[in-house]
Amino acid sequence: FLHYSLSIALPPLSYLVAQVRPLHGSGCGQQQEAVGMEMRPETFSIFRTQENDPDCQSEQHQGQYYTVPPSHFHTVFPHGLPPRYQQQVKTFNEGCVMVRQPALELISHLKRADYSKPTLRYLLYGVKGSGKTMSLCHTVHYCSTQGWLVLHIPDAHLWVKNCKELLPSSYHASRFDQPIQASNWLRNFRTTNENFLSKIKLRQRYVWTKRESTEEGQPLGELVDMGVSRVKSSSDVVGAVLKELRLQAGGTEGGFRLAVAVDGVNGLWGRTTLKKEDKSPVAPEELTLVHNLRKMINNDWCGGAVIATLSQTGSLYAPSSAYLPQELLGEEGFDSMDPFIPVPVSLYSEKEFESCYLYYLDRHWLQHPHSQTEEGKKELIFLSNRNPSVLERLCAFL
Amino acid sequence: MAASGGRTVGSFLWKCGNCCFNFNTVSSNLTRQVLSRQLCVSAVLHRKNLAAAGPEKFSEEFIKKQVEEFNIGKRHLANMMGEDPETFTQGDINRSIAYLFPSGLFDKKAKPLMKHPDEVFPKQRAVQWGADGRPFHFLFYTGKQSYYSLMHDTFTKALAVEKHQDRLRGKDLFTQDAKQISLVGSRWLLKEELEELLVETISEHDYARFIQLMERLLSLPYCSVEEDFVQRYRRQLEIQSSKQQVQPLQYDQHGVAYSTGDGKQRKTATGTVLLRDSGSGSISINGTNYVHYFPVLQDREQLMFPLHFMGVLGRFDMQCSVSGGGHSSQAGALRLAISRAMLSFLSEGQVETMRQAGLLTPDPRIKERKKPGQEGARRKFTWKKR
């Protein structure tokens, strides 16, 4: 019974405790527990770290997994994580992120940056599956623990393809609205930044229809609520929210830092698959959401940072071997993003691969007896070439 | 000279055109690599039943005449080609005929050939009885005279060996460790080969009895007396692995060993591999990383197979180039090329294990031809009742 109570209190340790029990007889309960307590620090220290705060992580923690506290999970990452990782979190009952060099570099830049100057833009790029989105999420976690306002767009490609409804914008004649995407995003934004919604006050009056308007001085939360409830004008609400945040980010009175995290930023400058009624293609500029987001990414405001990731996976009309910024952003995108700080994300190093392998072993994810041998590890290295996503897919059926 | 040479060759060709082409060239079949997975290879498995061919179509003088004509024709051909007639082998003949009569036909059996009449005309039974109707052989009325005479001969030999042994025992010279016949590397004749030798059909039961009798002969300690007789009924097994040509290792300017695997075919895909020693296990195919080139796990497993089998996974660096075919055949071609390139790094025993694992055998499967009257190679058109 002692074992079960322990397991409820500390979920990550339950596996180890449960593991210890069948090995010995049920008689020596107290001794088992003692052995278990001694064993825990040793097995944890190789690939896990107890340092769960991204602020305090440094190079010595590189390659080790830290656990995102469950309370943070739903607030910080309602929509930002890759789907496979979300499944993994659900399976393992915990969210563990590996501390890797690109994320550490980004965090150190963010710590040292001067926020009175125009915003710096960071671009994460790398081959497919090397961990760009995960590094972005790590940085977002850091920003939210530091108390920044996080504007996280999970995938810019979602806004330029597969859109069922396209309404002509009420604000601007030639632009198009995407009500569903906008309202979804507003809902997630509300979950992420609950505490800021009441603090920030609007500086301008917004008129939605003849009867509805939002006055100056109202809290931002009201605006967001209105956008969520009135789906038709949600895209304009998004534009308004972005504008307000841009204006107020570097402000001295009640100033907050703004982090704009965009995944798949190359989607903003490519082509879209959307068509107007007369079957002519829609350019990205003609979409309200894209237009407003581009204004955010411009570095004409201060008091925050823009962190972006390139993504080939969801991109349209891009060859699968392309991963460099120039290829994926195109000329127009590159000119708008220029100057930016490129942060390359590479495949797992030997140490990182080792810790990922040990993590899977610890979680009993690798069930096949051969995978626990040295030979099996060599095979895994060969077949995946240390690519994180390939390794994950490979281990999924082992 | 040339005219007569042409005439003799022409007469052969006419013969070939005359008789139907189930009179295969036995020797060519035996030397040609029949790509079946059986250990013993024999073209007699493909031949028709000889004994059922009926009474002889060619008389003995006819065969003798053909043999003379063949020999003369061979000398003429050698003179035509400017070679020495004394040392003109069958291989030279084949090459000369292929040069003089180039054929665009695909079927090997349809091309012009010039071979010794014993290989062209099948062995057939001479007439078994004389003018008075009395058969020559005393066992004619058993129906399988050659088989039973062979069994009688074998048993006679066994009795002779036993008599020899008794004599030796009488003289006290009998030793248990007399010289034995070496049976390693040879096999008994197959049933079909025996039928061909005897020019008559035998049943499986008969064949089993024959083998039993020979084994009994071999069980006697002094059977080496009859070694010639026994060896007539055994065939040598070819040692496959000695055919493998292992290239020596080459060293580049930094002293690093490398070797190339030559372009290997698998179903129209060709691949070449440059293996470098003391590497980190990185592989580049046509300039791109292999994880991007082969997104399918199965193809990467194919690449891994030779290295994993020999346990040298992280040791080599590879630069591969491949073209043609689809992704699966490209992976197969590369696997073969990798195995071939690895041979120069391995010892003899390891080469043998690789060969037995099937890593060095080129996959002979190609796309089957579509036949007229059918929709595909095997699929027939939809059958409509009316």
Side-chain angles (χ1 to χ4, degrees):
Chain A
F1 309 115
L2 215 53
H3 302 297
Y4 290 125
S5 64
L6 263 179
S7 61
I8 290 165
L10 302 160
L13 308 174
S14 62
Y15 280 87
L16 209 51
V17 177
Q19 203 179 8
V20 170
R21 191 164 171 253
L23 288 176
H24 312 278
S26 53
C28 42
Q30 299 291 330
Q31 283 160 3
Q32 283 174 43
E33 218 186 332
V35 165
M37 296 294 268
E38 276 159 14
M39 268 168 67
R40 259 177 250 135
E42 289 168 27
T43 47
F44 270 42
S45 66
I46 304 169
F47 62 92
R48 275 193 210 257
T49 169
Q50 304 298 321
E51 194 56 71
N52 284 345
D53 190 8
D55 197 17
C56 314
Q57 282 159 359
S58 63
E59 259 107 40
Q60 69 187 82
H61 297 116
Q62 201 172 344
Q64 296 181 337
Y65 279 87
Y66 82 94
T67 326
V68 176
S71 50
H72 283 186
F73 230 78
H74 293 289
T75 42
V76 178
F77 298 125
H79 53 177
L81 296 169
R84 279 196 84 95
Y85 182 71
Q86 278 173 351
Q87 285 172 343
Q88 187 183 308
V89 164
K90 213 163 119 185
T91 318
F92 291 166
N93 236 2
E94 62 173 5
C96 274
V97 179
M98 195 196 274
V99 174
R100 289 186 75 193
Q101 197 270 333
L104 282 175
E105 200 183 309
L106 258 183
I107 292 175
S108 65
H109 280 305
L110 288 173
K111 281 186 197 168
R112 290 185 308 220
D114 186 358
Y115 289 104
S116 51
K117 303 254 181 67
T119 40
L120 286 169
R121 293 176 293 195
Y122 308 92
L123 191 62
L124 287 161
Y125 69 96
V127 289
K128 201 153 82 158
S130 54
K132 304 182 281 287
T133 312
M134 286 309 293
S135 302
L136 186 73
C137 293
H138 187 174
T139 323
V140 160
H141 185 222
Y142 164 75
C143 295
S144 65
T145 47
Q146 293 292 302
W148 294 30
L149 203 162
V150 170
L151 214 70
H152 188 49
I153 289 117
D155 196 357
H157 293 298
L158 291 175
W159 289 357
V160 298
K161 57 178 179 173
N162 296 345
C163 180
K164 297 276 163 61
E165 289 183 11
L166 263 190
L167 300 174
S169 168
S170 46
Y171 185 67
H172 204 275
S174 63
R175 288 206 217 130
F176 291 94
D177 268 359
Q178 284 151 307
I180 315 172
Q181 275 91 351
S183 54
N184 275 342
W185 185 80
L186 277 174
R187 217 171 294 135
N188 290 325
F189 172 72
R190 187 169 56 183
T191 333
T192 323
N193 302 304
E194 292 276 2
N195 42 350
F196 283 103
L197 291 178
S198 43
K199 283 192 220 154
I200 303 175
K201 305 279 182 243
L202 299 179
R203 289 206 189 144
Q204 200 194 321
R205 185 164 176 267
Y206 293 101
V207 179
W208 306 119
T209 55
K210 276 189 218 155
R211 273 173 244 161
E212 284 179 21
S213 62
T214 318
E215 299 299 326
E216 208 178 306
Q218 296 268 346
L220 195 62
E222 234 189 76
L223 192 60
V224 174
D225 288 328
M226 217 218 74
V228 170
S229 47
R230 301 258 183 295
V231 179
K232 261 204 177 147
S233 42
S234 47
S235 320
D236 294 324
V237 167
V238 170
V241 162
L242 293 180
K243 194 159 132 197
E244 284 296 320
L245 291 174
R246 212 167 44 232
L247 288 173
Q248 296 191 17
T252 39
E253 22 109 339
F256 56 90
R257 304 254 182 89
L258 180 62
V260 182
V262 188
D263 203 343
V265 76
N266 47 324
L268 296 176
W269 287 284
R271 290 152 62 184
T272 65
T273 43
L274 307 172
K275 291 207 176 42
K276 302 181 220 175
E277 271 101 24
D278 51 352
K279 311 276 184 166
S280 59
V282 175
E285 298 85 40
E286 295 177 17
L287 293 167
T288 336
L289 290 173
V290 174
H291 182 83
N292 291 322
L293 197 56
R294 281 197 200 175
K295 281 199 255 175
M296 274 315 264
I297 299 187
N298 277 339
N299 56 352
D300 50 3
W301 52 283
C302 48
V306 175
I307 314 155
T309 335
L310 289 179
S311 167
Q312 196 280 323
T313 324
S315 73
L316 302 159
Y317 308 104
S320 62
S321 53
Y323 70 97
L324 294 170
Q326 243 168 331
E327 296 162 356
L328 281 177
L329 282 174
E331 271 205 41
E332 206 192 319
F334 200 79
D335 292 332
S336 334
M337 284 294 285
D338 211 17
F340 61 88
I341 303 175
V343 181
V345 180
S346 59
L347 305 175
Y348 278 160
S349 69
E350 295 222 7
K351 188 175 163 204
E352 289 172 344
F353 179 86
E354 186 74 36
S355 64
C356 182
Y357 175 71
L358 286 171
Y359 177 63
Y360 283 142
L361 275 181
D362 172 64
R363 292 281 97 192
H364 297 280
W365 194 228
L366 294 172
Q367 289 283 320
H368 201 277
H370 186 62
S371 59
Q372 282 147 18
T373 61
E374 264 302 309
E375 293 229 352
K377 200 164 103 177
K378 279 200 213 165
E379 283 183 38
L380 283 174
I381 297 180
F382 186 94
L383 284 176
S384 61
N385 201 23
R386 294 213 196 89
N387 188 317
S389 74
V390 174
L391 178 65
E392 198 262 318
R393 280 181 161 81
L394 197 56
C395 299
F397 52 82
L398 280 179
Chain B
M1 281 261 281
S4 61
R7 187 172 43 81
T8 28
V9 172
S11 65
F12 269 105
L13 295 179
W14 174 76
K15 293 278 174 322
C16 297
N18 202 10
C19 40
C20 34
F21 285 106
N22 51 5
F23 298 145
N24 296 335
T25 52
V26 174
S27 64
S28 73
N29 284 341
L30 281 175
T31 50
R32 169 167 55 124
Q33 264 198 1
V34 177
L35 294 164
S36 61
R37 296 281 184 247
Q38 289 170 325
L39 279 180
C40 353
V41 167
S42 176
V44 289
L45 296 170
H46 304 281
R47 295 195 55 167
K48 275 192 170 177
N49 199 344
L50 288 174
E56 57 180 345
K57 296 193 175 71
F58 314 103
S59 61
E60 262 203 55
E61 310 95 51
F62 176 77
I63 302 276
K64 275 203 207 123
K65 200 157 77 75
Q66 294 299 317
V67 174
E68 280 167 24
E69 279 192 9
F70 173 76
N71 286 326
I72 298 172
K74 199 167 98 169
R75 297 186 76 90
H76 281 310
L77 188 60
N79 282 331
M80 261 197 280
M81 302 298 292
E83 311 239 359
D84 184 13
E86 305 297 330
T87 57
F88 204 55
T89 60
Q90 186 59 45
D92 295 332
I93 297 180
N94 294 339
R95 267 187 289 113
S96 322
I97 294 290
Y99 171 69
L100 290 170
F101 302 95
S103 158
L105 300 171
F106 291 113
D107 200 353
K108 297 271 190 322
K109 301 176 213 167
K111 297 186 182 171
L113 67 90
M114 179 170 167
K115 293 234 167 18
H116 194 86
D118 282 342
E119 295 159 12
V120 174
F121 299 104
K123 283 168 67 169
Q124 50 197 347
R125 272 181 290 181
V127 172
Q128 315 267 332
W129 48 85
D132 53 351
R134 271 189 84 217
F136 295 131
H137 202 279
F138 72 103
L139 288 175
F140 175 77
Y141 287 108
T142 59
K144 298 182 242 185
Q145 61 179 45
S146 328
Y147 167 71
Y148 283 113
S149 72
L150 173 63
M151 297 289 272
H152 276 293
D153 286 338
T154 319
F155 193 62
T156 322
K157 301 254 192 264
L159 287 177
V161 168
E162 281 181 4
K163 210 166 142 189
H164 178 69
Q165 278 173 194
D166 291 334
R167 255 185 285 128
L168 286 181
R169 273 205 201 93
K171 292 187 209 163
D172 277 331
L173 288 173
F174 183 79
T175 42
Q176 277 295 337
D177 48 330
K179 180 173 153 283
Q180 295 292 318
I181 303 180
S182 140
L183 298 173
V184 173
S186 61
R187 57 165 176 91
W188 287 118
L189 279 190
L190 292 178
K191 176 167 165 285
E192 287 80 8
E193 285 171 346
L194 190 60
E195 278 185 356
E196 190 198 1
L197 196 66
L198 300 176
V199 199
E200 67 186 17
T201 39
I202 47 179
S203 72
E204 284 178 19
H205 189 68
D206 295 336
Y207 176 68
R209 297 293 280 191
F210 170 66
I211 298 292
Q212 226 175 2
L213 190 56
M214 292 298 247
E215 293 286 334
R216 193 179 146 190
L217 174 61
L218 286 176
S219 67
L220 302 169
Y222 274 86
C223 56
S224 50
V225 178
E226 305 298 340
E227 187 170 343
D228 297 328
F229 176 72
V230 172
Q231 290 292 2
R232 237 190 290 160
Y233 297 98
R234 287 191 78 90
R235 291 276 177 273
Q236 289 296 329
L237 289 169
E238 295 163 355
I239 308 167
Q240 298 264 358
S241 62
S242 58
K243 284 197 213 142
Q244 212 58 248
Q245 287 145 348
V246 179
Q247 284 172 343
L249 272 183
Q250 298 158 47
Y251 292 87
D252 68 352
Q253 70 255 38
H254 297 291
V256 174
Y258 75 94
S259 88
T260 42
D262 47 345
K264 275 333 292 168
Q265 283 260 359
R266 164 129 213 257
K267 211 188 184 188
T268 73
T270 36
T272 38
V273 160
L274 183 76
L275 264 187
R276 252 191 260 272
D277 202 353
S278 54
S280 57
S282 70
I283 306 181
S284 73
I285 306 182
N286 285 355
T288 50
N289 200 5
Y290 66 111
V291 175
H292 292 294
Y293 195 80
F294 287 134
V296 181
L297 182 66
Q298 184 189 357
D299 301 336
R300 271 176 277 143
E301 278 181 352
Q302 289 284 300
L303 286 188
M304 189 175 80
F305 180 25
L307 304 172
H308 176 247
F309 189 70
M310 288 286 115
V312 289
L313 267 181
R315 189 172 138 196
F316 293 110
D317 272 341
M318 279 188 261
Q319 280 166 305
C320 326
S321 60
V322 69
S323 63
H327 67 96
S328 214
S329 31
Q330 282 183 348
L334 277 182
R335 181 183 107 178
L336 241 189
I338 292 171
S339 322
R340 288 251 172 131
M342 265 173 68
L343 286 182
S344 24
F345 290 97
L346 300 176
S347 66
E348 279 285 332
Q350 287 174 316
V351 167
E352 182 59 28
T353 38
M354 274 188 76
R355 184 193 69 81
Q356 288 189 346
L359 280 167
L360 302 173
T361 330
D363 202 331
R365 300 179 284 179
I366 50 170
K367 197 161 167 175
E368 203 176 308
R369 180 204 148 185
K370 175 200 174 314
K371 284 105 192 170
Q374 294 176 6
E375 199 173 309
R378 299 283 173 105
R379 160 131 176 97
K380 323 279 185 282
F381 288 122
T382 321
W383 180 74
K384 295 218 168 57
K385 204 163 177 183
R386 48 187 72 83

